[in-house]
Amino acid sequence: MSSVIASTRFSVLDRSRTREGYDGPEALRDTVRLARELDALGYHRVWVAEHHGVPGVAGSAPTVLAAAVAAATRTIRVGTGGVMLPNHQPLVVAEQFGVLESLFPGRIDMGLGRSVGFTGGVRKALGRDKDDADDFAGQLAELLAFFRGTSATGVRARPSDGLTVPPFVLAMGEGATIAAEAGLPMVIGDLRNREKMLRGIDHYRAAFRPSAWAREAYVVVSGTVAVAGTPEAAQRLLIPEAWSMAYSRTHGMFPPLAPAERVEALTMTAKERDFYESGLRGHIAGTEDQVADELETLIKESGAQEVLVTTSSYDRDGLLDSFRRLARVAGPGAA
C-alpha cells in the first residue's frame, strides 16, 4: 500500500439521491444504512447534504438526518456537506449543532456552504434571494461567535456556547478565500477540473490565517470515486448520475437516478449526449490497483489531508461494493 494513501483520511458524502421506483423516505433510510456500513469499514466521516425542492434528492434537512446517522453509528464522525448558511439564521444553525454535539460528543462536524435555493421558487419559499450568498463571510463569523460566547447580539446560544464543533467551508468560487481568511479547513472539488481545483488549493494555503479553529491549513478534496472488479463495472456505476446531470442541464429538472441499463437504451439528442458523455469523464474509476494509482497522484498533486467521496449510483449493492473496495485501497488511512 502507498504510504501517501495510508496517511490520508477517507470520508463519504451521501446526498440521499432518490432512485426510480424508490421514494424519498427510502433514500433517507439508504443513507442511514450506508452510514452503518461505512462505520464498520473504518471511514473517517460521513456527511449529508442540503437540497430544497429537488426531485432527485431527499436530503433537505441535514442536521435532522445527521442526528439519525449519528444515532445509528458508533465511531464514525458525522456532519453536513453542507448546511447552506445563507438559507438559515446563524443562531438557529449554532443551536442545532450544539444539540448534535451534546448528544454525540466528539463526533460532529459542521460543514458549511454559501449556496442559496436552486430555483427562484425555492428562494422565495425560503425567504431568500441570490444576494444573500454575498454575505457568507459575515454569516460564518456570526455563527462561530455563538460557539465562543462572543456574538455581537449579546445572545448566548444554548447548548452551543462553549462547545467546539469543527467547522469546514465548502469552497465554491470565493469560498477558498473565505476559508483561508477565517482560518478554517476547506473542502474543494471537483476532480474533473483538476487545474482549477489545484489553483484554489494553492490560493487557500497562501492566504491561510491560523485561528482558534485551525492552526494550519487543512484540505479535503471531494469528488466521485468508483471501484469495481473491472474498469467497465466501475464505469457503469457512473452512468445513472451522468444521465441525471445531463437531463438537468437540458430539461431544468434534476431527476431520480435511473438504472444503467435503461440509460444505455435511451435515444438522446446531440446536446443530451454531449452532457452525458462529459459527465462520465474525469472521475476516478477502475479496479483497486487503478484507483490506488490515481488517488496517489491526486493526493501528491494537491497535498490534501483527506478525500471526501461523493459517488452516487442507482445500484446500491454496487455502490457498497465500491466503498468496500475503496476501504481496502485506503487501509488504515480510512480512519
Side-chain angles (χ1 to χ4, degrees):
M1 179 190 303
S2 161
S3 60
V4 172
I5 293 176
S7 62
T8 303
R9 290 168 168 166
F10 283 79
S11 301
V12 174
L13 167 65
D14 189 77
R15 290 178 290 138
S16 304
R17 292 288 274 114
T18 59
R19 300 177 292 152
E20 289 186 358
Y22 301 89
D23 57 12
E26 183 68 15
L28 296 172
R29 289 191 287 269
D30 281 343
T31 293
V32 175
R33 283 192 287 262
L34 176 62
R36 288 196 193 101
E37 296 284 351
L38 297 172
D39 193 17
L41 289 169
Y43 281 87
H44 185 61
R45 314 178 202 274
V46 58
W47 282 3
V48 296
E50 174 184 337
H51 295 274
H52 299 286
V54 180
V57 183
S60 56
T63 54
V64 177
L65 184 53
V69 168
T73 54
R74 296 182 59 200
T75 60
I76 195 169
R77 297 193 63 88
V78 178
T80 55
V83 165
M84 296 301 145
L85 198 49
N87 291 338
H88 309 281
Q89 293 297 332
L91 172 62
V92 175
V93 176
E95 291 170 337
Q96 290 172 343
F97 280 97
V99 169
L100 284 169
E101 176 63 21
S102 298
L103 292 172
F104 309 101
R107 291 181 57 207
I108 301 301
D109 300 322
M110 186 166 57
L112 305 162
R114 65 187 295 269
S115 297
V116 290
F118 186 62
T119 65
V122 169
R123 291 191 293 273
K124 183 177 180 181
L126 290 169
R128 298 291 188 270
D129 58 44
K130 289 183 177 180
D131 294 340
D132 287 309
D134 295 339
D135 190 35
F136 177 66
Q139 296 159 351
L140 180 62
E142 183 180 351
L143 169 63
L144 297 181
F146 283 118
F147 288 92
R148 292 291 184 254
T150 58
S151 171
T153 65
V155 173
R156 307 299 287 263
R158 312 289 184 187
S160 317
D161 195 351
L163 297 180
T164 297
V165 182
F168 294 75
V169 172
L170 276 61
M172 298 294 290
E174 65 183 271
T177 298
I178 293 170
E181 293 180 349
L184 299 180
M186 177 185 71
V187 183
I188 189 168
D190 68 50
L191 303 181
R192 291 181 298 170
N193 194 339
R194 196 71 57 89
E195 289 186 6
K196 181 179 179 181
M197 184 187 74
L198 294 176
R199 286 197 303 271
I201 292 171
D202 288 343
H203 172 70
Y204 164 72
R205 288 204 175 98
F208 184 83
R209 299 174 183 172
S211 72
W213 299 95
R215 288 193 293 264
E216 298 178 346
Y218 187 91
V219 174
V220 183
V221 292
S222 67
T224 296
V225 181
V227 197
T230 65
E232 295 76 18
Q235 191 73 8
R236 192 171 179 79
L237 286 173
L238 307 180
I239 288 175
E241 184 72 40
W243 169 243
S244 185
M245 292 297 294
Y247 190 91
S248 71
R249 296 289 297 275
T250 52
H251 294 77
M253 188 192 81
F254 206 74
L257 297 175
E261 56 269 21
R262 192 174 83 72
V263 174
E264 291 174 321
L266 289 172
T267 300
M268 302 182 192
T269 66
K271 190 174 184 180
E272 288 171 341
R273 176 68 62 181
D274 284 345
F275 282 129
Y276 169 65
E277 291 179 351
S278 174
L280 291 172
R281 294 192 294 268
H283 307 292
I284 294 179
T287 64
E288 291 173 37
D289 287 344
Q290 290 171 324
V291 166
D293 287 343
E294 290 194 54
L295 283 172
E296 182 166 11
T297 298
L298 169 67
I299 295 164
K300 285 180 176 178
E301 287 180 349
S302 65
Q305 289 96 331
E306 188 168 340
V307 176
L308 180 69
V309 181
T310 61
T311 312
S312 298
S313 188
Y314 179 91
D315 180 0
R316 296 298 293 191
D317 289 338
L319 184 62
L320 179 55
D321 180 65
S322 176
F323 284 127
R324 287 171 176 156
R325 291 173 182 273
L326 179 58
R328 290 201 290 268
V329 171

